[in-house]
Amino acid sequence: MTSSPKPSLISKPVPIPRNGVDYRGKVVLAPMVRSGELPSRLLALKYGADLVWGPETIDKSMIGTTKRIHPVSSTIDYARTSSNGSRNPALPPRENNIYRLHPRLESGRLIFQLGTSSPVTAVEAAKLVAPHVAGIDVNAGCPKPFSTSGGMGAALLQTPDHLASILSALVKEVGAVFEIGISVKIRLLETAEKTANLVRKLCNTGITGLTIHCRTTPMRPRERAIREQLRMIADICRETGVACVMNGDVKNRDEALQLMQQYGADGAMIATAAEANPSSFRTNEEGGLLPWRDVAQEYLRIALDVDNKWGNTKFTLGQLIPGKLEAYKKVSGSKTYVEVCEALNREDLLAQAKDVDERLSLSRSEDSPAVRKAKTKNKSAQAAGGRASRERAWETPSQHSLSERGVGSLGSMATSMAT
């Protein structure tokens, strides 16, 4: 066990704003695309997560949204009209839900993670959600091209002054105004010296927390996390009064608490382990991991309660249910909440599932709206093709149909191929 830091290194913590939250002593849900939507966050909180990070949301996608209160679930939704509707003016405009939160169940425990490359748009987007969250966290660690190509995510690690300017703007124009904390999530740099310099610069911007993902930008999740620099990073954070949260290969709450003590980190973040089974936030004394069926059924109940997007529910259940089981196959082939309730033996939820299916326009028919639309277009094309053929035959009577020129019909061709 590593010894505790010297008293001389300990500085007075950065004051936590009135509507903010201290990351110290917390085991939290990591920000994850698709796996960090509202039902997953609520389930993590139910099983003991102290705080939950929402999925990274790009600033420009939030700017211009309309805020609404969902009439059934009482969630706060940030939505915008889809541009797809403009392709066919006859169709009613569709709304895409960009972000959904629960003002009561997530109160004081939700951190909004922002994808940004600009202080101006970062502040504009953060102001929209700031009244309803406990903190704004800047994503400076995502290594995926969709993020880095726009100068966001891990690309910000290569421009530390610019990253610091984004954090400073958020601290001044959002944190101070709405009295919430501003934090940042980063990765390790190429050398310990570069990492140390970056951490010092960021900690001097007025942030209340810093999360270090213990991998470099090129590293993939399957590669073992590097913790050799963690003690150094935690010490620098402590010197400046900033809470240090560790991330990378943390499997459950008990391990998180042990690693926090070992490396001097103030908090710990659980990612892939929580994606597979969010009951990983339970301690061994509380019973540890629950069976997959208990977790999946509870997730389904919550998803129904908040009218969760069908695609996200199906994806998340696919992470929770072992892939070789019959239940996984049934859920994978399902097209409605009713079918999922039947697959998971939740007949008690069928009435609610029917209501949600109706609100979300889900149909258990083989023909989804998209399929029906495609079939309609195909029939129209066939009809147009038939008319064109008849017109050509009328104009050029010397031409013969394919069957008359010795080429079999489609039906006979299919028969011959089958034999």
Side-chain angles (χ1 to χ4, degrees):
M1 187 68 65
T2 332
S3 59
S4 300
K6 298 178 181 179
S8 60
L9 292 178
I10 300 176
S11 176
K12 184 178 179 180
V14 172
I16 304 301
R18 182 170 61 91
N19 299 322
V21 62
D22 195 344
Y23 295 172
R24 293 173 178 83
K26 306 292 194 300
V27 180
V28 307
L29 177 69
M32 292 181 285
V33 176
R34 301 185 76 179
S35 294
E37 297 293 342
L38 179 57
S40 299
R41 302 196 305 265
L42 293 179
L43 191 57
L45 289 171
K46 174 183 173 65
Y47 290 137
D50 298 306
L51 300 172
V52 289
W53 264 241
E56 177 194 19
T57 305
I58 307 303
D59 52 9
K60 293 178 182 178
S61 70
M62 282 292 290
I63 297 170
T65 56
T66 300
K67 184 174 77 170
R68 293 193 177 94
I69 306 297
H70 193 284
V72 177
S73 64
S74 298
T75 57
I76 295 177
D77 296 351
Y78 293 85
R80 68 188 313 134
T81 303
S82 171
S83 58
N84 293 334
S86 62
R87 298 175 186 171
N88 188 344
L91 295 175
R94 286 177 48 194
E95 279 201 341
N96 285 339
N97 195 42
I98 304 301
Y99 199 83
R100 173 173 286 174
L101 61 90
H102 201 296
R104 180 175 59 85
L105 298 179
E106 295 187 288
S107 177
R109 299 186 289 178
L110 172 62
I111 308 300
F112 179 86
Q113 191 181 63
L114 187 64
T116 185
S117 61
S118 162
V120 176
T121 51
V123 168
E124 186 177 355
K127 284 181 176 179
L128 297 174
V129 74
H132 308 292
V133 299
I136 303 291
D137 185 72
V138 173
N139 181 356
C142 180
K144 296 184 178 179
F146 79 83
S147 187
T148 57
S149 62
M152 302 179 293
L156 289 170
L157 300 177
Q158 305 306 317
T159 55
D161 290 336
H162 184 56
L163 174 55
S165 72
I166 293 173
L167 295 174
S168 296
L170 286 168
V171 168
K172 180 181 179 181
E173 300 180 49
V174 180
V177 174
F178 294 92
E179 298 185 87
I180 60 174
I182 305 298
S183 58
V184 64
K185 188 171 186 283
I186 66 171
R187 284 182 174 238
L188 299 172
L189 295 184
E190 297 84 358
T191 66
E193 182 181 5
K194 289 183 178 180
T195 301
N197 291 336
L198 174 67
V199 172
R200 285 194 181 92
K201 181 181 290 291
L202 302 183
C203 284
N204 286 320
T205 59
I207 59 174
T208 59
L210 179 144
T211 299
I212 178 66
H213 186 156
C214 296
R215 291 184 173 89
T216 60
T217 299
M219 292 178 67
R220 301 278 73 87
R222 65 179 178 274
E223 298 180 71
R224 184 183 66 84
I226 302 171
R227 295 184 179 135
E228 286 74 12
Q229 298 182 39
L230 183 53
R231 165 65 67 176
M232 171 200 71
I233 296 168
D235 284 345
I236 295 172
C237 288
R238 192 172 292 105
E239 290 173 21
T240 52
V242 174
C244 176
V245 178
M246 63 173 294
N247 175 221
D249 291 347
V250 182
K251 298 181 179 62
N252 53 59
R253 187 178 193 88
D254 286 328
E255 183 182 60
L257 296 173
Q258 182 268 320
L259 290 170
M260 287 161 58
Q261 184 177 13
Q262 180 179 352
Y263 291 98
D266 297 300
M269 199 173 256
I270 304 180
T272 53
E275 182 179 45
N277 191 329
S279 66
S280 56
F281 286 102
R282 287 160 40 108
T283 64
N284 287 332
E285 288 185 0
E286 295 168 331
L289 286 180
L290 289 168
W292 71 264
R293 184 175 291 277
D294 293 355
V295 176
Q297 289 183 342
E298 184 61 16
Y299 172 84
L300 175 59
R301 183 191 65 77
I302 295 174
L304 286 168
D305 284 345
V306 299
D307 274 20
N308 193 45
K309 291 180 182 178
W310 165 244
N312 179 254
T313 295
K314 188 172 179 179
F315 167 82
T316 305
L317 286 171
Q319 307 303 304
L320 299 175
I321 304 172
K324 295 182 180 180
L325 298 182
E326 185 65 24
Y328 178 87
K329 297 177 184 177
K330 289 182 178 179
V331 169
S332 297
S334 64
K335 297 178 180 178
T336 65
Y337 273 104
V338 166
E339 291 176 279
V340 168
C341 287
E342 293 170 347
L344 296 179
N345 300 318
R346 287 303 302 262
E347 287 76 11
D348 57 311
L349 297 176
L350 282 175
Q352 184 182 8
K354 290 177 182 177
D355 291 340
V356 175
D357 283 344
E358 184 175 346
R359 284 195 293 273
L360 299 182
S361 301
L362 300 178
S363 171
R364 64 185 304 165
S365 164
E366 290 185 2
D367 290 353
S368 66
V371 171
R372 289 197 296 271
K373 182 178 177 182
K375 285 188 174 182
T376 301
K377 284 186 176 180
N378 190 40
K379 288 180 180 178
S380 299
Q382 289 175 343
R387 287 193 298 272
S389 297
R390 288 192 294 274
E391 290 168 1
R392 286 194 298 271
W394 178 263
E395 293 169 358
T396 54
S398 60
Q399 293 180 344
H400 302 285
S401 66
L402 290 177
S403 59
E404 289 175 330
R405 285 186 277 127
V407 180
S409 66
L410 290 177
S412 62
M413 287 174 64
T415 303
S416 63
M417 288 176 66
T419 56

